[in-house]
Coordinates of all heavy atoms in Angstrom, one line a residue:
M1 N 0.4 2.3 -16.8 CA -0.8 2.9 -16.2 C -0.4 4.2 -15.5 O -1.0 5.2 -15.7 CB -1.4 1.9 -15.2 CG -2.7 2.4 -14.6 SD -3.5 1.1 -13.7 CE -3.5 1.7 -12.1
L2 N 0.6 4.1 -14.6 CA 1.1 5.3 -13.9 C 2.6 5.4 -14.1 O 3.3 4.4 -14.0 CB 0.8 5.2 -12.4 CG -0.6 5.0 -12.0 CD1 -0.7 4.7 -10.5 CD2 -1.4 6.2 -12.3
I3 N 3.0 6.6 -14.3 CA 4.5 6.8 -14.6 C 4.9 8.1 -14.1 O 4.2 9.1 -14.1 CB 4.8 6.6 -16.1 CG1 6.3 6.6 -16.3 CG2 4.2 7.7 -16.9 CD1 6.7 6.1 -17.6
D4 N 6.1 8.2 -13.5 CA 6.7 9.4 -13.1 C 8.2 9.3 -13.5 O 8.9 8.6 -12.8 CB 6.6 9.6 -11.6 CG 7.1 11.0 -11.1 OD1 7.9 11.6 -11.9 OD2 6.7 11.4 -10.0
V5 N 8.5 9.8 -14.6 CA 9.9 9.6 -15.1 C 10.9 10.4 -14.4 O 12.1 10.2 -14.6 CB 9.9 9.9 -16.7 CG1 9.0 9.0 -17.4 CG2 9.5 11.4 -16.9
G6 N 10.5 11.3 -13.6 CA 11.5 12.1 -12.8 C 12.3 13.1 -13.8 O 11.9 13.3 -14.9
R7 N 13.3 13.7 -13.2 CA 14.0 14.7 -14.0 C 15.5 14.3 -14.3 O 16.1 14.7 -15.2 CB 14.0 16.0 -13.2 CG 14.1 17.2 -14.1 CD 13.9 18.4 -13.3 NE 14.7 19.4 -13.9 CZ 15.1 20.5 -13.3 NH1 14.7 20.8 -12.1 NH2 15.9 21.4 -13.9
E8 N 16.0 13.5 -13.4 CA 17.4 13.1 -13.6 C 17.5 11.6 -14.0 O 16.5 10.9 -13.9 CB 18.2 13.3 -12.2 CG 18.3 14.7 -11.8 CD 19.0 14.8 -10.5 OE1 19.4 13.8 -9.9 OE2 19.2 15.9 -10.0
A9 N 18.7 11.2 -14.5 CA 18.9 9.8 -14.8 C 19.1 9.1 -13.5 O 19.7 9.6 -12.6 CB 20.1 9.7 -15.7
Y10 N 18.6 7.8 -13.5 CA 18.9 7.0 -12.4 C 20.3 6.6 -12.4 O 20.9 6.3 -13.4 CB 17.9 5.8 -12.4 CG 16.5 6.1 -12.0 CD1 15.5 6.1 -13.0 CD2 16.1 6.4 -10.7 CE1 14.2 6.4 -12.7 CE2 14.8 6.7 -10.4 CZ 13.9 6.7 -11.4 OH 12.6 7.0 -11.1
R11 N 20.9 6.6 -11.2 CA 22.3 6.2 -11.0 C 22.4 5.2 -9.9 O 21.4 4.8 -9.3 CB 23.1 7.4 -10.6 CG 23.0 8.6 -11.6 CD 23.9 9.8 -11.1 NE 23.6 10.2 -9.7 CZ 22.8 11.1 -9.3 NH1 22.1 11.8 -10.2 NH2 22.7 11.5 -8.1
K12 N 23.6 4.7 -9.6 CA 23.8 3.7 -8.6 C 23.3 4.3 -7.2 O 22.6 3.6 -6.5 CB 25.3 3.4 -8.4 CG 25.7 2.5 -7.3 CD 27.2 2.2 -7.3 CE 27.5 1.3 -6.1 NZ 29.0 1.1 -6.0
Q13 N 23.5 5.6 -7.0 CA 23.0 6.2 -5.7 C 21.5 6.2 -5.6 O 20.9 6.3 -4.5 CB 23.6 7.6 -5.6 CG 25.1 7.7 -5.5 CD 25.8 7.6 -6.8 OE1 25.2 7.6 -7.9 NE2 27.1 7.5 -6.8
S14 N 20.8 6.1 -6.8 CA 19.3 6.1 -6.8 C 18.7 4.9 -6.1 O 17.6 5.0 -5.7 CB 18.8 6.2 -8.2 OG 19.3 7.3 -8.9
F15 N 19.5 3.9 -5.9 CA 19.0 2.6 -5.3 C 19.7 2.2 -4.0 O 19.5 1.2 -3.5 CB 19.1 1.5 -6.3 CG 18.3 1.9 -7.6 CD1 19.0 2.4 -8.7 CD2 16.9 1.7 -7.6 CE1 18.3 2.7 -9.9 CE2 16.2 2.0 -8.8 CZ 16.9 2.5 -9.9
G16 N 20.6 3.1 -3.5 CA 21.4 2.8 -2.3 C 20.6 3.2 -1.0 O 19.5 3.7 -1.1
K17 N 21.3 3.0 0.1 CA 20.7 3.2 1.4 C 20.4 4.7 1.6 O 19.5 5.1 2.4 CB 21.5 2.7 2.5 CG 22.9 3.3 2.7 CD 23.6 2.7 3.8 CE 25.0 3.2 3.9 NZ 25.1 4.6 4.3
D18 N 21.1 5.6 0.9 CA 20.9 7.0 1.1 C 20.1 7.7 0.0 O 20.1 8.9 -0.2 CB 22.2 7.7 1.2 CG 23.0 7.3 2.4 OD1 22.3 7.1 3.5 OD2 24.2 7.1 2.3
R19 N 19.3 6.8 -0.7 CA 18.6 7.3 -1.9 C 17.6 8.5 -1.6 O 17.4 9.3 -2.4 CB 17.8 6.2 -2.6 CG 16.7 5.6 -1.8 CD 16.1 4.4 -2.6 NE 15.3 3.6 -1.7 CZ 15.7 2.6 -1.0 NH1 17.0 2.3 -0.9 NH2 14.9 1.9 -0.2
Y20 N 17.0 8.5 -0.4 CA 16.1 9.6 -0.1 C 16.7 10.9 0.3 O 16.0 11.9 0.5 CB 15.1 9.1 1.0 CG 14.2 8.0 0.4 CD1 14.4 6.7 0.9 CD2 13.3 8.2 -0.6 CE1 13.7 5.6 0.4 CE2 12.6 7.1 -1.1 CZ 12.8 5.8 -0.6 OH 12.1 4.8 -1.1
A21 N 18.0 10.9 0.4 CA 18.7 12.2 0.5 C 18.7 13.0 -0.8 O 18.8 14.2 -0.8 CB 20.2 12.0 1.0
N22 N 18.5 12.3 -1.9 CA 18.5 13.0 -3.2 C 17.0 13.5 -3.4 O 16.1 12.8 -3.3 CB 18.8 11.9 -4.3 CG 18.9 12.5 -5.7 OD1 18.6 13.7 -5.9 ND2 19.2 11.7 -6.6
W23 N 16.9 14.8 -3.7 CA 15.6 15.4 -3.8 C 14.7 14.7 -4.7 O 13.5 14.6 -4.5 CB 15.7 16.9 -4.1 CG 16.2 17.2 -5.5 CD1 17.5 17.4 -5.8 CD2 15.4 17.3 -6.6 NE1 17.6 17.6 -7.2 CE2 16.3 17.6 -7.7 CE3 14.1 17.3 -6.9 CZ2 15.9 17.8 -9.0 CZ3 13.6 17.5 -8.2 CH2 14.6 17.7 -9.2
I24 N 15.2 14.2 -5.8 CA 14.3 13.6 -6.8 C 13.6 12.3 -6.3 O 12.6 11.9 -6.9 CB 15.1 13.3 -8.1 CG1 14.1 13.1 -9.3 CG2 16.0 12.2 -8.0 CD1 14.7 13.1 -10.6
M25 N 14.1 11.7 -5.3 CA 13.6 10.5 -4.8 C 12.5 10.8 -3.6 O 11.9 9.9 -3.2 CB 14.7 9.6 -4.2 CG 15.7 9.2 -5.3 SD 15.0 8.4 -6.7 CE 14.8 6.7 -6.1
Q26 N 12.4 12.0 -3.2 CA 11.5 12.3 -2.1 C 10.1 12.5 -2.6 O 9.9 13.0 -3.8 CB 12.0 13.6 -1.4 CG 13.4 13.5 -0.8 CD 13.9 14.8 -0.3 OE1 13.1 15.7 0.0 NE2 15.2 14.8 -0.1
S27 N 9.1 12.2 -1.8 CA 7.7 12.3 -2.2 C 7.3 13.7 -2.6 O 6.4 13.9 -3.4 CB 6.8 11.7 -1.2 OG 6.8 12.5 0.0
A28 N 7.9 14.7 -2.0 CA 7.5 16.1 -2.2 C 7.8 16.5 -3.7 O 7.2 17.5 -4.2 CB 8.3 17.1 -1.3
Y29 N 8.6 15.8 -4.4 CA 9.0 16.1 -5.8 C 8.3 15.2 -6.7 O 8.7 15.1 -7.9 CB 10.5 16.2 -5.9 CG 11.1 17.2 -5.1 CD1 11.6 16.9 -3.8 CD2 11.1 18.5 -5.5 CE1 12.2 17.9 -3.0 CE2 11.7 19.5 -4.7 CZ 12.2 19.2 -3.4 OH 12.7 20.1 -2.6
H30 N 7.3 14.5 -6.3 CA 6.5 13.6 -7.1 C 5.0 14.1 -7.0 O 4.8 15.2 -6.4 CB 6.6 12.2 -6.7 CG 7.9 11.6 -7.0 ND1 9.1 11.9 -6.4 CD2 8.3 10.7 -8.0 CE1 10.1 11.2 -6.9 NE2 9.6 10.5 -7.9
N31 N 4.1 13.4 -7.6 CA 2.7 13.8 -7.6 C 2.0 13.4 -6.3 O 0.9 12.8 -6.3 CB 2.0 13.3 -8.8 CG 2.1 11.8 -8.9 OD1 2.8 11.2 -8.2 ND2 1.3 11.3 -9.8
L32 N 2.6 13.7 -5.1 CA 2.1 13.3 -3.8 C 1.9 14.6 -3.0 O 2.8 15.4 -3.0 CB 3.0 12.3 -3.1 CG 3.3 11.1 -3.9 CD1 4.4 10.3 -3.3 CD2 2.0 10.2 -4.0
P33 N 0.8 14.7 -2.3 CA 0.6 15.9 -1.5 C 1.4 16.0 -0.2 O 1.7 14.9 0.4 CB -0.9 15.9 -1.2 CG -1.2 14.4 -1.1 CD -0.3 13.8 -2.2
L34 N 1.7 17.2 0.2 CA 2.2 17.4 1.6 C 0.9 17.5 2.4 O 0.0 18.3 2.1 CB 3.0 18.7 1.7 CG 4.3 18.8 1.0 CD1 4.9 20.2 1.1 CD2 5.3 17.8 1.6
I35 N 0.9 16.8 3.5 CA -0.3 16.9 4.4 C 0.2 17.5 5.7 O 1.0 16.9 6.4 CB -0.9 15.5 4.6 CG1 -1.4 15.0 3.2 CG2 -2.1 15.6 5.6 CD1 -2.0 13.6 3.3
N36 N -0.4 18.6 6.1 CA 0.1 19.4 7.2 C 1.6 19.5 7.2 O 2.2 19.4 8.3 CB -0.4 18.7 8.5 CG -1.9 18.8 8.7 OD1 -2.5 19.8 8.3 ND2 -2.5 17.7 9.1
G37 N 2.1 19.8 6.1 CA 3.6 20.0 5.9 C 4.4 18.7 5.9 O 5.6 18.8 5.9
Q38 N 3.8 17.6 5.9 CA 4.5 16.3 6.0 C 4.5 15.6 4.7 O 3.5 15.5 4.0 CB 3.9 15.4 7.1 CG 3.8 16.0 8.4 CD 5.2 16.2 9.1 OE1 6.0 15.3 9.1 NE2 5.4 17.4 9.6
Q39 N 5.7 15.0 4.3 CA 5.8 14.2 3.2 C 5.5 12.7 3.5 O 5.6 12.3 4.7 CB 7.2 14.1 2.6 CG 7.8 15.5 2.2 CD 9.2 15.2 1.6 OE1 9.4 14.4 0.7 NE2 10.2 16.0 2.1
Q40 N 5.2 11.9 2.5 CA 5.2 10.5 2.7 C 6.6 10.1 3.2 O 7.6 10.7 2.7 CB 4.8 9.7 1.4 CG 3.4 9.7 1.1 CD 3.1 8.8 0.0 OE1 3.9 8.1 -0.6 NE2 1.8 8.7 -0.4
Q41 N 6.7 9.1 4.0 CA 8.0 8.6 4.6 C 8.4 7.3 3.9 O 7.6 6.6 3.4 CB 7.9 8.5 6.1 CG 7.5 9.8 6.7 CD 8.6 10.9 6.6 OE1 9.7 10.7 7.0 NE2 8.3 12.0 5.9
D42 N 9.6 7.0 4.1 CA 10.1 5.7 3.6 C 10.4 4.7 4.7 O 10.4 5.1 5.9 CB 11.5 5.9 2.8 CG 12.6 6.4 3.7 OD1 12.5 7.7 4.0 OD2 13.4 5.6 4.1
G43 N 10.5 3.4 4.3 CA 10.8 2.4 5.3 C 9.5 1.6 5.7 O 8.4 1.9 5.4
K44 N 9.8 0.4 6.2 CA 8.7 -0.5 6.6 C 7.7 0.0 7.5 O 6.5 -0.4 7.5 CB 9.3 -1.8 7.1 CG 10.0 -2.6 6.1 CD 10.6 -3.9 6.7 CE 11.3 -4.7 5.6 NZ 11.8 -6.0 6.1
A45 N 8.1 0.9 8.4 CA 7.1 1.5 9.3 C 6.1 2.4 8.7 O 5.1 2.7 9.3 CB 7.9 2.3 10.4
F46 N 6.3 2.7 7.4 CA 5.4 3.7 6.7 C 4.8 3.0 5.5 O 4.8 3.5 4.4 CB 6.1 4.9 6.3 CG 6.6 5.7 7.5 CD1 7.9 5.6 7.9 CD2 5.7 6.5 8.2 CE1 8.3 6.3 9.0 CE2 6.1 7.2 9.3 CZ 7.5 7.1 9.7
G47 N 4.1 1.9 5.7 CA 3.5 1.1 4.6 C 2.0 1.4 4.5 O 1.4 2.1 5.3
T48 N 1.4 0.8 3.6 CA 0.0 0.9 3.4 C -0.7 -0.2 4.2 O -0.1 -1.1 4.7 CB -0.4 0.8 1.9 OG1 0.0 -0.4 1.4 CG2 0.2 2.0 1.1
S49 N -2.0 -0.2 4.2 CA -2.8 -1.2 4.9 C -4.1 -1.4 4.2 O -4.4 -0.6 3.3 CB -3.1 -0.8 6.4 OG -3.9 0.3 6.4
Q50 N -4.8 -2.4 4.6 CA -6.1 -2.7 4.0 C -6.1 -2.8 2.4 O -6.9 -2.3 1.7 CB -7.2 -1.7 4.4 CG -7.3 -1.6 5.9 CD -8.1 -0.4 6.3 OE1 -8.0 0.7 5.7 NE2 -8.9 -0.5 7.4
T51 N -5.0 -3.4 1.9 CA -4.8 -3.5 0.5 C -5.6 -4.7 -0.1 O -5.6 -5.8 0.5 CB -3.3 -3.6 0.1 OG1 -2.7 -2.5 0.6 CG2 -3.1 -3.7 -1.4
S52 N -6.3 -4.4 -1.1 CA -7.1 -5.5 -1.8 C -6.9 -5.4 -3.3 O -6.7 -4.4 -3.9 CB -8.6 -5.5 -1.4 OG -9.1 -4.3 -1.9
F53 N -7.0 -6.6 -3.9 CA -6.9 -6.7 -5.4 C -8.0 -7.6 -5.9 O -8.3 -8.6 -5.3 CB -5.6 -7.3 -5.7 CG -5.4 -7.5 -7.2 CD1 -5.0 -6.5 -8.0 CD2 -5.6 -8.8 -7.8 CE1 -4.8 -6.7 -9.4 CE2 -5.4 -9.0 -9.1 CZ -5.0 -7.9 -9.9
L54 N -8.7 -7.1 -6.9 CA -9.8 -7.8 -7.5 C -9.6 -7.9 -9.0 O -9.3 -6.9 -9.6 CB -11.1 -7.1 -7.2 CG -12.4 -7.6 -7.9 CD1 -12.8 -9.0 -7.3 CD2 -13.5 -6.6 -7.7
Q55 N -9.9 -9.1 -9.5 CA -9.8 -9.3 -11.0 C -10.9 -10.2 -11.4 O -10.9 -11.4 -11.0 CB -8.5 -9.8 -11.4 CG -8.2 -9.7 -12.9 CD -6.8 -10.0 -13.3 OE1 -6.1 -10.8 -12.6 NE2 -6.3 -9.4 -14.3
Q56 N -11.9 -9.7 -12.1 CA -13.0 -10.5 -12.6 C -13.7 -9.9 -13.7 O -13.9 -8.6 -13.8 CB -14.0 -10.8 -11.4 CG -14.7 -9.6 -10.9 CD -15.7 -9.9 -9.8 OE1 -15.4 -10.8 -9.0 NE2 -16.7 -9.1 -9.6
R57 N -14.2 -10.6 -14.7 CA -15.0 -10.2 -15.8 C -14.6 -8.9 -16.4 O -15.4 -7.9 -16.5 CB -16.5 -10.2 -15.4 CG -17.0 -11.6 -15.2 CD -18.5 -11.6 -14.8 NE -18.5 -11.4 -13.4 CZ -19.5 -11.0 -12.7 NH1 -20.6 -10.6 -13.3 NH2 -19.4 -10.9 -11.4
G58 N -13.4 -8.7 -16.8 CA -12.9 -7.5 -17.4 C -12.6 -6.3 -16.5 O -12.3 -5.2 -16.9
L59 N -12.7 -6.5 -15.2 CA -12.4 -5.5 -14.2 C -11.2 -5.9 -13.4 O -11.1 -7.0 -12.9 CB -13.6 -5.3 -13.3 CG -13.3 -4.4 -12.1 CD1 -13.1 -2.9 -12.5 CD2 -14.5 -4.4 -11.1
T60 N -10.3 -5.0 -13.3 CA -9.1 -5.2 -12.4 C -9.1 -3.9 -11.5 O -9.1 -2.8 -11.9 CB -7.8 -5.2 -13.2 OG1 -7.9 -6.3 -14.1 CG2 -6.6 -5.4 -12.2
R61 N -9.1 -4.2 -10.1 CA -9.1 -3.1 -9.2 C -8.1 -3.3 -8.1 O -8.0 -4.4 -7.5 CB -10.5 -2.9 -8.6 CG -10.5 -1.7 -7.6 CD -11.9 -1.4 -7.1 NE -12.6 -2.6 -6.7 CZ -13.9 -2.8 -6.8 NH1 -14.7 -1.9 -7.4 NH2 -14.5 -3.9 -6.4
L62 N -7.4 -2.3 -7.7 CA -6.5 -2.2 -6.6 C -6.9 -1.1 -5.6 O -7.2 0.0 -6.1 CB -5.0 -1.9 -7.0 CG -4.0 -1.7 -5.9 CD1 -3.8 -3.1 -5.2 CD2 -2.7 -1.2 -6.4
R63 N -7.0 -1.5 -4.4 CA -7.5 -0.5 -3.4 C -6.6 -0.6 -2.2 O -6.2 -1.7 -1.7 CB -8.9 -0.8 -2.9 CG -9.5 0.2 -1.9 CD -10.9 -0.1 -1.6 NE -11.3 0.6 -0.5 CZ -12.5 0.6 0.1 NH1 -13.4 -0.3 -0.4 NH2 -12.8 1.3 1.1
T64 N -6.1 0.5 -1.6 CA -5.3 0.5 -0.4 C -5.5 1.8 0.4 O -5.9 2.8 -0.1 CB -3.8 0.4 -0.9 OG1 -3.0 0.0 0.3 CG2 -3.3 1.6 -1.6
N65 N -5.1 1.7 1.7 CA -5.2 2.8 2.6 C -3.8 3.4 2.7 O -2.9 2.7 3.2 CB -5.7 2.3 4.0 CG -5.9 3.4 5.0 OD1 -5.6 4.6 4.7 ND2 -6.4 3.1 6.1
L66 N -3.6 4.6 2.3 CA -2.3 5.3 2.3 C -2.0 6.0 3.6 O -0.9 6.6 3.7 CB -2.2 6.3 1.1 CG -2.3 5.7 -0.3 CD1 -2.5 6.8 -1.3 CD2 -1.1 4.9 -0.6
A67 N -2.9 6.0 4.6 CA -2.6 6.8 5.8 C -1.3 6.5 6.5 O -0.6 7.3 7.0 CB -3.8 6.6 6.8
G68 N -0.9 5.2 6.5 CA 0.3 4.8 7.1 C 1.6 5.2 6.5 O 2.6 5.1 7.0
A69 N 1.5 5.7 5.2 CA 2.7 6.2 4.5 C 3.1 7.6 5.1 O 4.2 8.0 4.7 CB 2.4 6.3 3.0
Y70 N 2.3 8.2 5.9 CA 2.6 9.5 6.4 C 2.9 9.4 7.9 O 2.3 8.6 8.6 CB 1.4 10.5 6.2 CG 1.3 11.0 4.8 CD1 0.7 10.2 3.8 CD2 2.0 12.2 4.4 CE1 0.6 10.7 2.5 CE2 1.9 12.6 3.1 CZ 1.2 11.8 2.1 OH 1.2 12.3 0.8
P71 N 3.8 10.3 8.5 CA 4.0 10.2 9.9 C 2.8 10.7 10.7 O 2.0 11.4 10.2 CB 5.2 11.2 10.0 CG 5.1 12.1 8.9 CD 4.5 11.3 7.8
P72 N 2.8 10.4 12.0 CA 1.7 10.9 12.8 C 1.4 12.4 12.8 O 0.3 12.8 12.9 CB 2.1 10.4 14.2 CG 3.0 9.2 14.0 CD 3.7 9.6 12.7
A73 N 2.5 13.2 12.6 CA 2.3 14.6 12.6 C 1.4 15.1 11.4 O 0.9 16.2 11.5 CB 3.7 15.3 12.5
A74 N 1.2 14.3 10.4 CA 0.4 14.6 9.3 C -1.1 14.6 9.7 O -1.9 15.2 9.1 CB 0.6 13.7 8.1
G75 N -1.4 13.8 10.7 CA -2.8 13.7 11.2 C -3.7 12.9 10.2 O -4.9 13.1 10.3
V76 N -3.2 12.0 9.4 CA -4.0 11.3 8.4 C -4.6 10.1 9.2 O -3.9 9.2 9.6 CB -3.2 10.8 7.2 CG1 -4.1 10.1 6.2 CG2 -2.5 12.0 6.5
Q77 N -5.9 10.0 9.2 CA -6.6 8.9 9.9 C -6.9 7.7 8.9 O -6.7 6.6 9.2 CB -7.9 9.3 10.5 CG -7.7 10.3 11.6 CD -6.9 9.8 12.8 OE1 -7.1 8.7 13.3 NE2 -5.9 10.6 13.2
R78 N -7.3 8.1 7.7 CA -7.7 7.2 6.6 C -7.6 7.9 5.3 O -8.1 9.0 5.1 CB -9.1 6.7 6.9 CG -9.5 5.6 6.0 CD -10.9 5.1 6.4 NE -11.3 4.1 5.5 CZ -12.6 3.7 5.3 NH1 -13.5 4.2 6.1 NH2 -12.9 2.8 4.5
W79 N -7.0 7.2 4.3 CA -6.9 7.8 3.0 C -7.0 6.6 2.0 O -6.0 5.9 1.7 CB -5.6 8.6 2.8 CG -5.5 9.1 1.4 CD1 -6.4 9.1 0.4 CD2 -4.3 9.8 0.9 NE1 -5.8 9.7 -0.7 CE2 -4.6 10.1 -0.5 CE3 -3.1 10.1 1.4 CZ2 -3.6 10.8 -1.3 CZ3 -2.1 10.7 0.6 CH2 -2.4 11.1 -0.7
L80 N -8.1 6.3 1.5 CA -8.3 5.2 0.6 C -8.1 5.7 -0.8 O -8.6 6.7 -1.3 CB -9.7 4.6 0.7 CG -10.1 4.0 2.1 CD1 -11.5 3.5 2.1 CD2 -9.1 2.8 2.4
R81 N -7.3 4.9 -1.5 CA -7.1 5.2 -3.0 C -7.3 3.9 -3.7 O -6.9 2.8 -3.3 CB -5.6 5.6 -3.2 CG -5.4 5.9 -4.7 CD -4.0 6.5 -4.9 NE -4.2 8.0 -4.7 CZ -3.2 8.8 -4.9 NH1 -2.0 8.4 -5.2 NH2 -3.4 10.1 -4.7
S82 N -8.0 4.0 -4.8 CA -8.3 2.8 -5.7 C -8.0 3.2 -7.1 O -8.2 4.3 -7.6 CB -9.7 2.3 -5.4 OG -10.6 3.3 -5.8
Y83 N -7.7 2.1 -7.8 CA -7.4 2.2 -9.3 C -8.3 1.1 -9.9 O -8.2 0.0 -9.4 CB -6.0 2.0 -9.6 CG -5.1 3.0 -9.0 CD1 -4.4 2.8 -7.8 CD2 -4.8 4.2 -9.6 CE1 -3.6 3.7 -7.2 CE2 -4.0 5.2 -9.0 CZ -3.4 4.9 -7.8 OH -2.6 5.8 -7.3
S84 N -9.0 1.4 -11.0 CA -9.8 0.4 -11.7 C -9.5 0.5 -13.2 O -9.4 1.6 -13.7 CB -11.3 0.7 -11.5 OG -11.6 0.6 -10.1
L85 N -9.3 -0.7 -13.7 CA -9.1 -0.8 -15.2 C -10.3 -1.7 -15.7 O -10.6 -2.7 -15.2 CB -7.8 -1.5 -15.5 CG -6.6 -0.8 -15.1 CD1 -5.3 -1.7 -15.3 CD2 -6.4 0.5 -15.9
H86 N -11.0 -1.1 -16.7 CA -12.1 -1.9 -17.3 C -11.7 -2.3 -18.7 O -11.1 -1.6 -19.4 CB -13.4 -1.0 -17.3 CG -13.8 -0.5 -16.0 ND1 -14.7 -1.2 -15.3 CD2 -13.5 0.6 -15.3 CE1 -14.9 -0.6 -14.1 NE2 -14.2 0.5 -14.1

């Protein structure tokens, strides 16, 4: 459904504790916006909220609030994203 193959091959370092030091792993180099100059951040403190999943009668839908993925300096109050498959 969604894919971002990146530009480099994944290596051992791609999955280690310092993976976000590599530019290819940072949100600024994927299809994610900078908001007020801020990238999405990594770690448990920067998760999504209000996530719901629905599957019924040929419809599958995922909805989540992405505001928490950005630091406070981004000023994001609410950012709902949903995906639907019919």
Side-chain angles (χ1 to χ4, degrees):
M1 183 168 121
L2 301 172
I3 189 167
D4 186 340
V5 296
R7 207 173 145 200
E8 296 180 357
Y10 288 106
R11 304 180 308 264
K12 179 181 175 182
Q13 295 81 8
S14 300
F15 302 97
K17 64 180 177 64
D18 297 322
R19 66 185 167 271
Y20 296 108
N22 186 358
W23 68 269
I24 196 168
M25 302 302 281
Q26 297 173 20
S27 69
Y29 298 95
H30 288 74
N31 57 348
L32 303 167
L34 290 177
I35 300 177
N36 293 322
Q38 302 294 311
Q39 298 184 56
Q40 281 189 0
Q41 300 295 299
D42 62 282
K44 290 183 180 182
F46 296 99
T48 60
S49 63
Q50 302 168 326
T51 301
S52 63
F53 178 79
L54 171 71
Q55 191 170 33
Q56 66 183 26
R57 292 180 272 157
L59 170 68
T60 302
R61 181 173 50 216
L62 173 70
R63 181 179 170 181
T64 193
N65 183 356
L66 297 169
Y70 285 85
V76 182
Q77 299 298 313
R78 185 173 176 200
W79 178 8
L80 295 178
R81 178 172 277 183
S82 64
Y83 301 95
S84 297
L85 296 172
H86 299 271

